[in-house]
Amino acid sequence: MPRIKVLPEEVARQIAAGEVVERPASVVKELVENAVDAGARVISVRVEGAGVRMIEVRDQGCGMAPDDVALAVRSFATSKIARASDLSTIETFGFRGEALASISSVSHFEIISSDRENGEGWRFACHGKEEVENSPAPHERGTTVRVRDLFFNTPARKKFLKSETTERRRILETMLSFALASPELELHYSVEGRSELDLVPAAAWRERVAAILGGGIMKHMVTLEGGAAPFRLRGFTSLPTHTRANRNHQFIYINRRLVREKSVLQAVQLAYRNVIPYKRFPVIVLSLDIPYDLVDVNVHPNKLEVRLRNERSVFDLVHRALKQALSAHSESTLQVRYSGVAARPPRPAAPAAVLADPELDYAAPRGGPAVSDGESYRSRIKDAYSSYMEGSASHREFNPQLSLKNAVRKPPVVPAAAGELKEEVGREDALFWQFNNAYIFIQVRGGIVVIDQHAAHERIIFDTSKKRLENEIPLSQQILFPIHLELSLRELEVFRTSAEVFHKLGFHLEPFGGTSILVRGYPQGLKNWEEGKLLLQVFDDIVQDRIPGNSHADRIIASFACRSAVKAGQRLAMEEMKMLADQLFAVPNPYSCPHGRPTIQRISLEDIESWFLRR
Ligand code: ADP
Ligand code: MG
């Protein structure tokens, strides 16, 4: 083996650069972070050739003194920390003093900065390790960094870049992630001279989030709040009916840093358990303030991960806030949209709590108009951020008045007591009918409620079964002549490992030699039993892994609920419809089936009136 040598600084820097500067988007991230750290409120980013040819970040922050400009580009040169103990209380994005050093080592790099009002500044430029300029240059207060020919001296890294479209999308995502978390920033971003983002400071956080994610999804998001400063959570999360196919639409910020924090992601997953389908993910923007000394940000080269000293409390805080927001919503939405129009009660001054603008108290922006120009760039974001649109709403909304939207001004909605709908549906004179042998229409005072009979029944069975499992009071009915079922080996395995769950559900099952079992009883009131066919279907669902769920027991219950629920196409008697509606409103999660499909829709009198332009 050759002798060990200490690598020349330049080579060491290029190696280190690989960690920080993975792609053009990482350069943009580091430079924008520096601008924010410098207190800039206005930041402009220009990109050419997907960031490889040129990235320019200009800010109007505090700038640097002439002597500091060249120093800033040196390794481990930082103004943000001075001693190791400072690492435990980092309030800035940067602290390692490595970004400019790394970026400049793999590009044609130029930085011009001024910390004064008289237009005098300093310029430093280098090509990789070779310094090409270090002299006075005019610049307004603030800093401009220009990075050209990225990776010109590290061809291997250049080869790893993806297509221009992908790299451009990553840059845009980076810009959006700053924009989402910092509504007070004025951000401009252009690609090949064409403007992609022009964001003025937003008056409220909600406004900025809506501008980025789109007003469409915003309507289906509820406000999250929890904790108290300095340990606090704020944000927005989508309703179970509006999910996405991946986690790309989950923005978690800890002390304004976008991170993939496991405990938070798990809390989100748990909060939505059983109300959204398997492998679907809510859209969520969540900002956590955590005391700086409880977060270690120095664990990841790109600082995309942090280490929390109190993971459990973060998990709890997020989980509780989500649960609260979602259950508050499911209790009130129906009534909110429903609004008891027939009675026309006086209009209250304040809108319903769930619809209220949170006005999350960001410092008021310095100057600048308070509105953001949503429409003009939203369509462009849609293109670039195409994954956003994929599988946009998981369930299409019934919204015949879309085209009339602008013609019709909706009156303010009136929140009503949570039990109102249940009560209305339960009224003697509520009118029920079945449509297409699949949907139950109920005419109530303020409009029409539509229930998907299969989804609703699934939900009822799922929730009551879960309760049985928890309370351990299985209600079963004995079969006069026990049934003997022949299982496959894998099915027998399911029986063996899940006997407890089946027992708690109300099944009396016994091994019967070989691969057979004997059924002596099944849950009371069971439909679709069909001489044991139902049980075989459940076994088969589990063996084939057909039914998603968070736990083995949940999968069994979900399969059982699906198989034993009334089917679409099954004619129901009036009494059956009434009972189903009654039971549905008595379960904890009436608004969606265990796979997350909605169970109830409503058409309010307002809706109908607006179709006919009467409102
Ligand atoms: P870090 O951000 O970790 O300190 P960087 O290499 O990103 O390291 O920057 C080095 C130093 O250069 C910073 O600490 C800061 O003092 C200065 N600096 C960098 N960018 C700017 C900027 N846009 N405005 C003012 N100062 C800057
Ligand atoms: Mg930095």
Side-chain angles (χ1 to χ4, degrees):
M1 188 170 306
R3 298 291 307 273
I4 294 175
K5 323 183 227 344
V6 175
L7 292 172
E9 194 202 322
E10 191 45 36
V11 180
R13 275 215 276 165
Q14 281 188 13
I15 293 173
E19 300 210 310
V20 184
V21 192
E22 214 182 343
R23 50 178 16 105
S26 9
V27 172
V28 171
K29 172 175 178 284
E30 294 293 337
L31 297 181
V32 173
E33 285 186 352
N34 278 348
V36 175
D37 283 347
R41 288 299 190 115
V42 184
I43 302 172
S44 306
V45 178
R46 294 199 302 128
V47 157
E48 286 171 14
V52 174
R53 196 159 68 237
M54 204 272 305
I55 294 171
E56 179 193 276
V57 177
R58 174 186 287 263
D59 70 58
Q60 295 172 12
C62 64
M64 277 179 267
D67 288 350
D68 279 356
V69 178
L71 201 57
V73 184
R74 299 242 319 254
S75 278
F76 303 113
T78 179
S79 57
K80 297 167 194 171
I81 58 171
R83 54 193 72 82
S85 61
D86 293 347
L87 277 171
S88 60
T89 51
I90 291 165
E91 298 183 25
T92 48
F93 280 116
F95 55 86
R96 292 195 186 126
E98 267 187 300
L100 296 187
S102 299
I103 297 167
S104 65
S105 74
V106 291
S107 67
H108 293 160
F109 182 88
E110 177 185 13
I111 180 166
I112 316 166
S113 188
S114 169
D115 63 347
R116 50 203 67 174
E117 300 296 346
N118 64 4
E120 289 172 11
W122 197 270
R123 184 179 123 107
F124 175 88
C126 62
H127 291 175
K129 67 170 184 239
E130 183 195 342
E131 180 180 316
V132 294
E133 195 183 333
N134 194 10
S135 55
H139 196 277
E140 60 188 25
R141 190 183 147 102
T143 304
T144 301
V145 176
R146 231 167 264 129
V147 176
R148 289 205 170 86
D149 305 317
L150 186 63
F151 301 136
F152 79 98
N153 52 357
T154 50
R157 188 145 294 272
K158 204 165 176 177
K159 259 207 331 250
F160 274 104
L161 294 181
K162 298 273 186 330
S163 71
E164 289 213 347
T165 323
T166 307
E167 296 300 336
R168 262 203 305 271
R169 200 195 68 227
R170 295 222 161 118
I171 297 175
L172 179 61
E173 283 172 6
T174 302
M175 294 300 296
L176 293 179
S177 76
F178 282 106
L180 261 182
S182 304
E184 74 284 359
L185 285 183
E186 178 176 332
L187 282 174
H188 302 281
Y189 170 53
S190 73
V191 176
E192 319 292 347
R194 192 168 41 95
S195 163
E196 290 274 321
L197 265 184
D198 278 304
L199 288 167
V200 296
W205 190 24
R206 183 184 193 91
E207 207 178 278
R208 175 61 64 87
V209 175
I212 302 294
L213 298 187
I217 182 69
M218 205 61 201
K219 276 196 244 127
H220 305 285
M221 292 179 82
V222 287
T223 302
L224 291 172
E225 277 190 39
F231 185 38
R232 178 168 177 219
L233 172 159
R234 297 165 294 172
F236 305 93
T237 195
S238 68
L239 296 173
T241 43
H242 288 74
T243 55
R244 298 287 191 263
N246 53 45
R247 287 212 173 93
N248 288 352
H249 319 98
Q250 304 194 336
F251 301 87
I252 316 283
Y253 297 89
I254 293 185
N255 296 345
R256 295 241 177 154
R257 246 176 237 285
L258 182 74
V259 289
R260 296 259 129 215
E261 169 51 36
K262 228 172 47 229
S263 56
V264 175
L265 295 173
Q266 281 168 351
V268 173
Q269 192 181 350
L270 187 68
Y272 279 84
R273 183 156 91 169
N274 296 332
V275 292
I276 63 175
Y278 186 58
K279 296 223 165 131
R280 298 290 302 179
F281 304 91
V283 178
I284 183 164
V285 180
L286 196 157
S287 171
L288 277 158
D289 296 329
I290 301 180
Y292 291 103
D293 56 341
L294 297 180
V295 190
D296 186 356
V297 289
N298 194 20
V299 292
H300 188 275
N302 289 337
K303 297 171 257 167
L304 296 173
E305 280 165 27
V306 293
R307 190 173 299 135
L308 298 174
R309 297 201 216 290
N310 53 347
E311 255 181 31
R312 183 71 219 183
S313 17
V314 168
F315 177 93
D316 288 343
L317 177 67
V318 175
H319 185 245
R320 215 172 320 119
L322 278 163
K323 278 301 224 196
Q324 243 166 32
L326 292 175
S327 70
H329 175 85
S330 66
E331 296 223 326
S332 58
T333 28
L334 282 174
Q335 286 75 30
V336 169
R337 286 200 44 186
Y338 206 54
S339 77
V341 181
R344 302 239 173 189
R347 287 166 186 180
V354 286
L355 299 177
D357 194 304
E359 291 303 341
L360 300 172
D361 49 334
Y362 274 97
R366 257 198 336 216
V371 286
S372 59
D373 169 23
E375 293 305 329
S376 60
Y377 54 80
R378 194 173 306 136
S379 56
R380 269 182 255 140
I381 291 176
K382 269 185 194 164
D383 289 344
Y385 224 164
S386 56
S387 62
Y388 262 166
M389 303 321 295
E390 142 275 295
S392 53
S394 58
H395 309 292
R396 246 167 227 300
E397 258 204 309
F398 177 67
N399 195 355
Q401 80 259 44
L402 257 184
S403 55
L404 301 174
K405 222 177 191 167
N406 297 327
V408 181
R409 228 191 98 252
K410 285 204 160 196
V413 289
V414 185
E420 192 176 288
L421 188 68
K422 172 171 159 48
E423 198 179 293
E424 290 228 355
V425 168
R427 278 156 58 115
E428 274 303 300
D429 58 349
L431 210 54
F432 283 70
W433 74 100
Q434 193 186 19
F435 172 67
N436 207 30
N437 287 343
Y439 302 99
I440 303 170
F441 277 62
I442 311 168
Q443 183 196 311
V444 291
R445 257 192 322 172
I448 296 161
V449 173
V450 187
I451 295 178
D452 178 320
Q453 66 188 40
H454 175 71
H457 200 205
E458 246 185 306
R459 168 52 75 191
I460 295 166
I461 298 172
F462 185 86
D463 279 10
T464 47
S465 301
K466 260 194 103 89
K467 209 148 145 207
R468 279 187 196 173
L469 243 64
E470 280 155 21
N471 299 339
E472 316 213 2
I473 33 158
L475 293 173
S476 68
Q477 73 197 55
Q478 296 301 307
I479 311 176
L480 208 49
F481 301 104
I483 294 174
H484 156 227
L485 295 178
E486 189 68 37
L487 306 183
S488 72
L489 271 174
R490 289 169 74 197
E491 287 166 349
L492 189 71
E493 183 61 19
V494 174
F495 162 69
R496 283 215 192 95
T497 52
S498 325
E500 171 93 8
V501 180
F502 286 105
H503 174 72
K504 286 181 179 167
L505 282 176
F507 286 100
H508 276 192
L509 311 177
E510 286 171 11
F512 197 59
T515 59
S516 316
I517 58 168
L518 199 65
V519 187
R520 293 192 179 276
Y522 55 66
Q524 218 165 52
L526 183 64
K527 298 229 166 47
N528 308 342
W529 170 240
E530 294 187 50
E531 299 301 305
K533 193 170 149 206
L534 178 136
L535 205 50
L536 291 176
Q537 285 172 330
V538 173
F539 282 132
D540 193 49
D541 282 343
I542 303 302
V543 166
Q544 305 292 339
D545 211 8
R546 229 178 259 131
I547 305 274
N550 292 300
S551 66
H552 186 60
D554 272 6
R555 281 191 286 277
I556 293 176
I557 300 173
S559 161
F560 170 65
C562 179
R563 297 299 181 175
S564 57
V566 292
K567 305 269 180 294
Q570 220 163 308
R571 186 146 193 87
L572 297 182
M574 189 62 71
E575 275 320 302
E576 288 175 307
M577 290 193 259
K578 286 191 169 162
M579 189 147 88
L580 200 128
D582 235 34
Q583 291 175 337
L584 182 62
F585 286 109
V587 299
N589 308 301
Y591 305 108
S592 64
C593 82
H595 316 306
R597 271 185 307 168
T599 49
I600 307 168
Q601 295 286 2
R602 57 277 158 183
I603 307 166
S604 71
L605 181 56
E606 290 164 44
D607 288 335
I608 296 172
E609 286 179 342
S610 59
W611 303 343
F612 299 104
L613 299 179
R614 289 184 180 278
R615 287 182 162 260

